[in-house]
Amino acid sequence: MSLKAGIVGLPNVGKSTLFNAITKKHILAANYPFATIEPNVGVVTVPDSRLDFLVSLYKPKSVVPTTFEFIDIAGLVSGASKGEGLGNKFLAHIREVDAIVEVVRCFDDENITHVEGACDPLRDVGIINTELILADLEIALNRLGKIEKKAETTKDKEAILEVNVLKKVKENLEKEVALRLVDFDKDELAILKNFNFITLKKLIYVANVDDLSASVGDNEYSLTLKKLADSEKASVVVMCAKLESDLADLEDEEKKKFLEDVGITNSGLDKLIFATYDLLGLQTFFTSGADECRAWTFKRGMKAPECAGIIHTDFEKGFIKAEIMSFNDLYDLGSELKVKENGKLRLEGKDYLMQDGDICYFRFNV
């Protein structure tokens, strides 16, 4: 299951520095606008101690953790929706992601150029969100211009429904309301899916603070951002991108010691990865054995056959049953044999809703 999160923000707010830390790839992170010209894609491993336990238990020949992609998208500026800066090219890249990570600079530094002259998180968020809203509004207006007349003349039910949904979109965007904050029913969302509206995508803010604020946990800028996020029912991850980038090259023990020395209990990167994973409603199931231990990403609410299909389409087509044990049972009892002896190994059918941490063996026949 290929899932993508796009990192956006104004130029020089720390997007590329954050991306360096996430992917451990040292791309250009220069102190001037548009240092990133093509979107950089990095595959992120989701840390999971459960997989580590399975590896220690089965000692497999190969290990495959669950992953998803972070895409570093070049800085947007005021007027991007009209082509300013590198404008529409990057708005197009944002349309291809599943979720948006909006990096907001929350520290003062006279040595780092700010495209707007000074640090102001609310202003910066306003610029980005306005440009994304304007970009969506342009698409809605263009489509309305093409289909509204058809709906009036043909009385086609599907066309009428589409027009009504697009009018709802238009009304909210003109009020500067992001579409993710608007209530749409299932049928409306099915129509909107075709347009790939940016402001309909799930969003998480990253408050990029200095290293001192990172050790404390907040500063006045990040607290202001959190207040805004609360009003939007969004979440905020506070971190120092520069510090995380420095940490990325360290071994695990060195990293742990470094974090202890600066007074930080958890890596900001880990918090961001988990927060983004949760934001998209993602969970993990496992397949385990002597040949391979592997973590698989699935969306909360998927049934057993759908998850089998993530491994291979034939598994879903010919699904019979799923042999399932929960990770907690295996961890507590210590072996598959003990799980079976205690009646904790289950046979589940087509209607079974997969749970986070399920360890599965799928029976199928094609």
Side-chain angles (χ1 to χ4, degrees), residues 259-278:
L259 289 171
E260 288 175 353
D261 289 345
V262 297
I264 299 174
T265 54
N266 292 308
S267 161
L269 274 184
D270 285 351
K271 289 190 288 185
L272 175 60
I273 291 170
F274 289 132
T276 309
Y277 202 69
D278 184 63

Side-chain angles (χ1 to χ4, degrees), residues 19 48 70 89 98 121 124 132 135 148 184 201 209 219 243 252 258 278 290 294 304-305 322 331 345 351 354:
F19 181 83
D48 199 323
F70 273 100
K89 182 176 182 180
D98 300 290
D124 293 355
L132 301 186
E148 198 165 11
F184 294 106
K201 298 180 186 297
V209 300
N219 61 26
L243 178 64
D252 289 343
F258 188 98
D278 184 63
R294 182 163 182 163
Y331 182 82
L345 182 67
D351 292 329
M354 292 286 287

Side-chain angles (χ1 to χ4, degrees), residues 159-171:
I160 292 172
L161 181 57
E162 183 177 339
V163 166
N164 289 338
V165 174
L166 287 172
K167 284 183 176 179
K168 184 175 179 179
V169 165
K170 174 178 173 290
E171 289 169 4

Side-chain angles (χ1 to χ4, degrees), residues 170-341:
K170 174 178 173 290
E171 289 169 4
N172 281 281
L173 292 176
E174 287 179 339
K175 295 175 184 175
E176 298 189 358
V177 177
L179 297 182
R180 64 181 161 271
L181 303 177
V182 180
D183 289 327
F184 294 106
D185 62 32
K186 187 177 179 180
D187 292 335
E188 290 173 328
L189 287 173
I191 292 172
L192 294 178
K193 188 176 181 180
N194 298 322
F195 295 96
N196 229 0
F197 285 122
I198 302 171
T199 64
L200 191 58
K201 298 180 186 297
K202 294 181 181 295
L203 177 142
I204 187 169
Y205 291 107
V206 168
N208 183 20
V209 300
D210 55 17
D211 52 1
L212 178 61
S213 299
S215 64
V216 175
D218 268 305
N219 61 26
E220 60 176 312
Y221 291 137
S222 63
L223 289 172
T224 299
L225 181 61
K226 282 184 174 181
K227 188 174 181 180
L228 171 67
D230 285 343
S231 70
E232 299 177 348
K233 297 180 181 178
S235 56
V236 178
V237 174
V238 178
M239 69 166 71
C240 173
K242 177 63 170 61
L243 178 64
E244 297 293 336
S245 186
D246 292 340
L247 281 171
D249 290 325
L250 301 180
E251 297 297 328
D252 289 343
E253 285 303 315
E254 291 178 303
K255 187 182 297 184
K256 184 178 178 182
K257 178 72 165 56
F258 188 98
L259 289 171
E260 288 175 353
D261 289 345
V262 297
I264 299 174
T265 54
N266 292 308
S267 161
L269 274 184
D270 285 351
K271 289 190 288 185
L272 175 60
I273 291 170
F274 289 132
T276 309
Y277 202 69
D278 184 63
L279 181 72
L280 291 171
L282 304 180
Q283 295 181 321
T284 303
F285 73 88
F286 302 93
T287 52
S288 297
D291 288 332
E292 180 183 83
C293 285
R294 182 163 182 163
W296 302 85
T297 300
F298 71 100
K299 287 195 173 183
R300 190 181 295 116
M302 290 179 71
K303 294 183 178 180
E306 295 175 284
C307 287
I310 293 172
I311 299 175
H312 197 288
T313 53
D314 285 349
F315 285 21
E316 182 173 7
K317 291 176 184 175
F319 180 89
I320 300 173
K321 292 284 184 181
E323 291 183 11
I324 294 177
M325 56 182 167
S326 74
F327 173 82
N328 288 340
D329 288 336
L330 180 62
Y331 182 82
D332 292 340
L333 296 169
S335 72
E336 275 193 39
L337 180 61
K338 289 287 181 66
V339 171
K340 292 175 182 176
E341 289 175 349

Side-chain angles (χ1 to χ4, degrees), residues 68-86:
F68 62 92
E69 294 179 359
F70 273 100
I71 302 174
D72 178 32
I73 298 168
L76 293 171
V77 294
S78 182
S81 60
K82 302 299 181 184
E84 292 295 324
L86 295 170

